[in-house]
Amino acid sequence: MMLIKQDISLKPYNTFGIDVKARYFAEIKNEQDLEELFMSREAKEEKLLILGGGSNMLFTQDFNGLVVKMAIGGISYILNGNAIELTAGAGVVWNDLVMFCVTNNFAGLENLTLIPGTVGASPIQNIGAYGVELKDVFKQCRVFEIATGQFLTFTYEDCKFGYRDSVFKNEYKNKYIVTAVTFNLSTEAHLKTHYGAINAELEAQEITKPTIADVSKAVAKIRVSKLPDPTTIGNAGSFFKNPVISKTQFNQLMVNFPDVVHFDMPDNQVKIAAGWLIEQCGFKGIRDGHTGTWKNQALVLVNHGNATGQEVYNFSEKIITEVYTKFGVCLEREVNVF
């Protein structure tokens, strides 16, 4: 029977390690739990927060409502020639899924190695790294409609994916809960090694004909060198999105900052490396009270042990202000703030 708990600390459930409480807390292990939960008074009357791995959020205060921790597991797949249709439960740890695919030589997710969080959050955020985004391998997801209690299927088109964005963060925010995600993968690898330092890492290992396992290991090594382990120091990975600006604004920026790290995008747009902007403002590796930026990556904000969520938020405000003052570029937080 599904149990609703009261006054539960959320410190173990967010990778920043912020010590706040949830007034009510429920863990969902299957779809029946979800149906049962939404027959309860708490689910009908209280403010809701759907929680996956807690790796993309910053709590600035106690949550006066119901936190729903998604813990639906399971991985299954169908082979059809070289094509693989793989489905994973919303509570599956994302990197566990990636390792399952790499082990079984299912190509498509290898560039997304070591992204924190769970499968259920992947389409909401349209997670991405090293030239690959969730939308590139997404087929569909199964969702629970809160208002009706029905289970529905959302296709690629339904999700309206954008850069770190989807319909679930906009018009359908807080209206659906993802219970499972289905991916289109393949036994034939079409490796993407041009982004970031993947090629350089493969060359350093003298690998000339890489496999998906080689790419996954290269990505893991790069990420570990740049990003701190949340089990040793609280963080939510990349705190800010890489800003996307017009080609016109970029050309103006290049006049004063010809070394700006950037990536060309479709539709006459350019993506700017947020970490580079933050580092140029002198924020890399600094400490500000109990928070600060990571020594190897200015894009990552950290909790040195006793930071409050408000302290981290205030520090992020300083960064946003300084970057805008220096570059005229507005940073947007990638994390969700509560």
Side-chain angles (χ1 to χ4, degrees), residues 268-324:
N268 251 356
Q269 292 186 309
V270 180
K271 184 192 296 183
I272 307 297
W276 184 89
L277 297 173
I278 297 167
E279 185 173 347
Q280 298 309 303
C281 291
F283 283 104
K284 184 177 180 180
I286 74 163
R287 182 163 181 163
D288 188 321
H290 297 295
T291 186
T293 52
W294 183 237
K295 61 184 179 179
N296 295 334
Q297 176 52 270
L299 190 56
V300 178
L301 273 58
V302 297
N303 175 4
H304 284 292
N306 296 299
T308 64
Q310 191 61 52
E311 187 177 3
V312 176
Y313 182 86
N314 292 344
F315 179 59
S316 73
E317 280 286 289
K318 290 183 184 179
I319 293 175
I320 291 171
T321 299
E322 289 294 325
V323 167
Y324 186 78

Side-chain angles (χ1 to χ4, degrees), residues 66 77 80 113-114 125-126 135 151 168 185 205 250 252 254 256 266 272 280 287 289 296:
L66 171 63
Y77 60 90
N80 184 11
T113 296
L114 282 187
Q125 181 73 5
N126 185 24
K135 67 179 180 62
F151 289 95
F168 300 111
L185 306 176
Q205 297 181 32
F250 172 71
Q252 294 171 344
M254 282 284 286
N256 294 318
I272 307 297
Q280 298 309 303
R287 182 163 181 163
N296 295 334

Side-chain angles (χ1 to χ4, degrees), residues 199-212:
N199 272 330
E201 181 60 38
L202 292 172
E203 289 173 7
Q205 297 181 32
E206 298 183 346
I207 297 173
T208 56
K209 295 182 179 180
T211 64
I212 62 169

Side-chain angles (χ1 to χ4, degrees), residues 3-251:
L3 179 66
I4 299 176
K5 301 177 182 178
Q6 295 188 39
D7 296 323
I8 298 298
S9 172
L10 295 177
K11 187 174 183 178
Y13 300 105
N14 73 96
T15 59
F16 249 120
I18 303 296
D19 193 8
V20 295
K21 286 187 176 181
R23 185 179 181 187
Y24 298 104
F25 181 90
E27 187 171 27
I28 302 300
K29 296 183 179 179
N30 53 58
E31 291 186 349
Q32 184 178 346
D33 283 349
L34 206 51
E35 292 176 308
E36 186 178 332
L37 174 65
F38 279 86
M39 293 173 62
S40 70
R41 180 202 64 78
E42 291 85 355
K44 293 176 181 177
E45 298 179 4
E46 299 291 337
K47 182 169 64 172
L48 293 173
L49 172 60
I50 311 305
L51 189 65
S55 60
N56 195 46
M57 53 183 53
L58 175 66
F59 288 105
T60 59
Q61 58 189 328
D62 289 341
F63 189 80
N64 187 26
L66 171 63
V67 172
V68 181
K69 166 66 176 172
M70 295 301 292
I72 299 175
I75 299 173
S76 61
Y77 60 90
I78 299 171
L79 290 172
N80 184 11
N82 293 323
I84 303 152
E85 187 176 294
L86 182 146
T87 299
V92 173
V93 173
W94 177 261
N95 199 57
D96 288 351
L97 172 63
V98 175
M99 291 301 99
F100 177 90
C101 292
V102 170
T103 300
N104 287 280
N105 201 37
F106 296 168
L109 300 182
E110 55 276 0
N111 288 50
L112 305 181
T113 296
L114 282 187
I115 290 181
T118 56
V119 167
S122 63
I124 297 172
Q125 181 73 5
N126 185 24
I127 60 173
Y130 299 99
V132 175
E133 290 185 316
L134 183 281
K135 67 179 180 62
D136 300 330
V137 291
F138 179 88
K139 177 179 174 62
Q140 63 189 33
C141 61
R142 183 167 165 85
V143 302
F144 176 80
E145 187 173 38
I146 294 172
T148 65
Q150 293 183 323
F151 289 95
L152 306 172
T153 296
F154 272 51
T155 65
Y156 177 96
E157 290 75 18
D158 294 331
C159 292
K160 298 181 183 178
F161 290 119
Y163 174 56
R164 301 296 176 270
D165 199 17
S166 72
V167 72
F168 300 111
K169 295 180 73 174
N170 298 290
E171 58 261 46
Y172 289 159
K173 186 174 183 179
N174 299 325
K175 294 184 179 180
Y176 296 91
I177 299 173
V178 177
T179 62
V181 182
T182 301
F183 306 87
N184 285 322
L185 306 176
S186 177
T187 56
E188 288 188 341
H190 299 282
L191 301 179
K192 294 186 179 180
T193 61
H194 63 283
Y195 197 99
I198 297 178
N199 272 330
E201 181 60 38
L202 292 172
E203 289 173 7
Q205 297 181 32
E206 298 183 346
I207 297 173
T208 56
K209 295 182 179 180
T211 64
I212 62 169
D214 294 326
V215 172
S216 175
K217 289 176 183 177
V219 169
K221 187 170 182 179
I222 295 165
R223 289 186 71 93
V224 168
S225 71
K226 291 183 177 181
L227 304 175
D229 182 349
T231 63
T232 59
I233 184 167
N235 74 92
S238 299
F239 195 89
F240 300 99
K241 296 180 182 180
N242 290 318
V244 177
I245 63 176
S246 69
K247 191 73 171 180
T248 300
Q249 184 181 358
F250 172 71
N251 290 336

